[in-house]
Amino acid sequence: MTNYMTNSIFLDTINGIKRERPPVWFMRQAGRVLPSYMKLRESYGFKHMMEEPKLAAEVTLLPVHDLGVDAAILFSDILVIPEALGMELSFEGKGPTFKTALKDVEDPLHFLTDMPERLEHIYQAIDQILATKPAEIPLIGFCGGPLTTLCYMFQGFSQNLNFPDFVPAIYRDKSTMKKLVTRITEMSIHYALKQVEHGVQAFQLFETHAGLIPIELYKEVFLPSVKAILGAVRTKGVKTIYLPKGLGTGINMVNYDLCDCVSVDWQTPLHEVRPIVGEEMILQGNFDPRILLADKKAIDQEFEYYLNYGRKDHKWIFNLGHGLLPNIPVENVQYLIDKVKTSDWGR
């Protein structure tokens, strides 16, 4: 099954078709910096907004209407997979917390219970989005990468994005960790394929904490899961994007056998990534979102590199090296989007 729209600059680009400019969308664009989102947050909690399909659909499309981005990404969270494995999640206070962490359970494998029905509201949200979005704007689905998902499940919460009990546990009992990864992978494949069934037109895997462990350990314990999840989506004719944030020189493990598009963090320049991953691969990224905390002069200076890069490489989607930060002025976000859309890319 292929959901393809020839008038979508995003879908054209991810399919390798040369367009007049790169498409632009941002990770974490649905929320955080948008005044319209903050207005909704005055009335609704984050979890309620995710779990109410009409609200989730509305928030998904806010950046399309407010900022003019070229793609929408589903408004949800990477930790819905642990919920579908029976864990209890709260967003009270400063971020996600599990009522019981796997590190506190004697037998974590038997603690998990498959509850895929907990994901149904997300499919309803996808149906709502597709019924109301502009025709030329594709919807990107997603889930968390296996390492990142297991980090939170095991630790129970994130303290400064440091998971002190998790990494020693991998070394202590690699066999159990691999079995937990298998459980996460099976539910993630179910979830990804249901998103595709409901009509998402691309799919991104967010491995936000890829840099937490040595590359060889990631390759052994987690990369096979990445390949299985993205491979399942690709069999349905839907393009896949992989974000391995912090992977560093491990980018040499990423090739067209793994995914259609790699989203590059801000640490590695695009022109260095291109020869490593090959000409067939679509690149995405990797503007540092912290530049948007500076001023328009700084944005202009940093943008020059991307303008020059995009004139030479049409297999590239303009995005950030990670998600938008909550204190970024929305005017700077709009300014950058407008620069992408109005600059002369020499194509």
Side-chain angles (χ1 to χ4, degrees):
M1 181 182 98
T2 303
N3 293 312
Y4 188 58
M5 305 178 296
T6 53
N7 59 341
S8 164
I9 192 168
F10 172 87
L11 288 180
D12 275 352
T13 301
I14 205 169
N15 278 280
I17 298 168
K18 189 174 186 177
R19 290 291 301 260
E20 66 280 6
R21 64 170 175 87
V24 54
W25 72 278
F26 295 150
M27 292 174 276
R28 291 188 182 147
Q29 66 185 11
R32 288 193 162 187
V33 305
L34 294 178
S36 54
Y37 173 78
M38 300 312 294
K39 185 74 178 166
L40 282 172
R41 280 301 307 269
E42 291 173 12
S43 304
Y44 305 106
F46 177 72
K47 202 164 193 296
H48 177 78
M49 292 171 81
M50 281 199 313
E51 293 179 348
E52 170 52 53
K54 281 189 178 178
L55 281 171
E58 182 180 350
V59 175
T60 297
L61 294 174
L62 286 179
V64 173
H65 300 309
D66 294 3
L67 298 172
V69 290
D70 294 313
I73 185 163
L74 181 63
F75 178 69
S76 185
D77 194 85
I78 62 169
L79 297 182
V80 296
I81 289 296
E83 286 191 293
L85 290 169
M87 296 183 73
E88 299 299 327
L89 177 65
S90 166
F91 281 93
E92 302 299 321
K94 289 192 173 183
T97 306
F98 288 103
K99 183 180 176 182
T100 305
L102 295 185
K103 70 180 176 62
D104 299 322
V105 176
E106 194 170 328
D107 187 349
L109 282 164
H110 284 91
F111 175 73
L112 299 177
T113 307
D114 287 357
M115 303 175 74
E117 65 276 6
R118 287 186 167 186
L119 301 168
E120 285 297 323
H121 64 91
I122 300 168
Y123 314 135
Q124 293 170 27
I126 292 170
D127 294 344
Q128 291 266 349
I129 295 160
L130 294 180
T132 54
K133 74 174 182 63
E136 74 283 1
I137 300 295
L139 175 63
I140 303 168
F142 75 92
C143 75
L147 167 63
T148 302
T149 304
L150 187 52
C151 282
Y152 286 97
M153 291 170 68
F154 193 85
Q155 193 70 42
F157 66 99
S158 165
Q159 187 73 41
N160 299 323
L161 302 181
N162 176 19
F163 303 90
D165 299 297
F166 173 62
V167 179
I170 304 176
Y171 289 110
R172 190 182 308 118
D173 189 355
K174 201 181 285 184
S175 173
T176 296
M177 284 294 182
K178 285 182 176 180
K179 289 172 185 171
L180 288 169
V181 170
T182 297
R183 293 290 298 278
I184 291 167
T185 305
E186 290 168 352
M187 187 60 74
S188 297
I189 288 172
H190 166 82
Y191 179 46
L193 291 179
K194 289 290 281 187
Q195 289 185 50
V196 170
E197 186 183 309
H198 281 261
V200 301
Q201 291 141 309
F203 184 85
Q204 177 155 323
L205 192 75
F206 284 86
E207 192 69 283
T208 311
H209 299 298
L212 190 67
I213 60 175
I215 291 164
E216 288 302 313
L217 187 60
Y218 184 81
K219 184 178 182 179
E220 177 190 352
V221 180
F222 299 99
L223 197 64
S225 169
V226 171
K227 189 163 188 175
I229 297 165
L230 296 179
V233 173
R234 291 175 103 185
T235 63
K236 302 297 180 183
V238 170
K239 296 295 183 179
T240 57
I241 307 168
Y242 173 45
L243 169 70
K245 185 174 180 289
L247 195 62
T249 58
I251 197 79
N252 64 12
M253 301 186 298
V254 180
N255 55 42
Y256 200 69
D257 288 341
L258 186 71
C259 57
D260 300 289
C261 173
V262 60
S263 198
V264 184
D265 61 32
W266 59 65
Q267 291 167 297
T268 312
L270 294 172
H271 70 270
E272 291 187 11
V273 173
R274 169 55 76 201
I276 295 170
V277 300
E279 293 301 318
E280 203 171 4
M281 181 79 76
I282 308 300
L283 300 188
Q284 178 176 276
N286 63 339
F287 198 85
D288 188 341
R290 295 166 295 189
I291 299 164
L292 297 172
L293 290 166
D295 53 25
K296 290 182 174 61
K297 183 181 177 185
I299 294 169
D300 287 344
Q301 287 174 338
E302 295 300 323
F303 184 77
E304 277 304 304
Y305 167 83
Y306 293 91
L307 187 59
N308 290 328
Y309 182 82
R311 284 173 174 162
K312 301 182 190 110
D313 190 348
H314 71 272
K315 293 184 175 182
W316 166 58
I317 297 161
F318 191 100
N319 206 312
L320 304 175
H322 192 37
L324 286 168
L325 302 167
N327 49 344
I328 288 172
V330 69
E331 308 83 54
N332 285 356
V333 178
Q334 186 68 72
Y335 182 73
L336 180 57
I337 292 168
D338 290 346
K339 278 190 79 70
V340 175
K341 295 175 83 168
T342 60
S343 293
D344 178 8
W345 293 89
R347 298 183 181 178

